[in-house]
Amino acid sequence: MVILAAFGGMMVACQTKQQTEEIVVSDEMFEGDEHNAVTSLDFMGTYEGVLPCADCEGIQTVIELGVGNSYVKKVTYLGKENSEVIETQGTFSWNDEGNTITLDSEPAPNQYFVGENVLFHLDIDGNRIEGDLADKYRLNKK
């Protein structure tokens, strides 16, 4: 009897071990652990800079990114008569990669690539601006 009980205990132990080895780990378990601007950077805050302008000295731009994906954008066209501050606000959304925001209430171009303490203003197609003026299309975090 003792031998039969011991044999039965070993069978249960083997079955339990076998079940444990069959656990499948899926990539879906780790989807929330991606590193991107949304999850890795302290992106909320105030960004400012002077963007190039075709018919003025520059566009003084201030963008405040806040909680709930809210934003306030203030622009001033430098060197123009009536250089008043134009203020708009709304919400922004992230692209699928989590590295670019779109100011939902703004006319295009309204996308910014989010880097460490910087927003890069993107062209109308959502691409980084290249060439001699590329460095002029950045807003630095205050």
Side-chain angles (χ1 to χ4, degrees), residues 24-129:
V24 176
V25 178
S26 165
D27 287 339
E28 293 173 8
M29 296 172 67
F30 299 100
E31 282 183 356
D33 195 30
E34 293 182 27
H35 294 287
N36 56 36
V38 178
T39 61
S40 301
L41 298 179
D42 180 20
F43 64 86
M44 287 195 292
T46 303
Y47 299 82
E48 65 179 33
V50 178
L51 301 176
C53 178
D55 62 350
C56 67
E57 294 173 15
I59 305 169
Q60 176 69 43
T61 305
V62 177
I63 297 177
E64 299 172 34
L65 301 180
V67 295
N69 287 0
S70 65
Y71 78 87
V72 175
K73 181 179 178 183
K74 300 173 187 172
V75 297
T76 306
Y77 290 88
L78 304 175
K80 290 233 178 203
E81 292 183 35
N82 299 329
S83 294
E84 60 189 53
V85 176
I86 301 167
E87 183 174 316
T88 56
Q89 58 187 340
T91 57
F92 64 88
S93 54
W94 290 93
N95 68 350
D96 291 339
E97 291 80 25
N99 61 15
T100 300
I101 61 170
T102 299
L103 305 182
D104 297 325
S105 301
E106 300 292 319
N110 59 351
Q111 295 181 4
Y112 296 84
F113 180 85
V114 180
E116 186 73 38
N117 297 317
V118 66
L119 295 179
F120 291 98
H121 184 72
L122 303 178
D123 70 14
I124 199 153
D125 296 320
N127 298 312
R128 290 279 298 269
I129 295 170

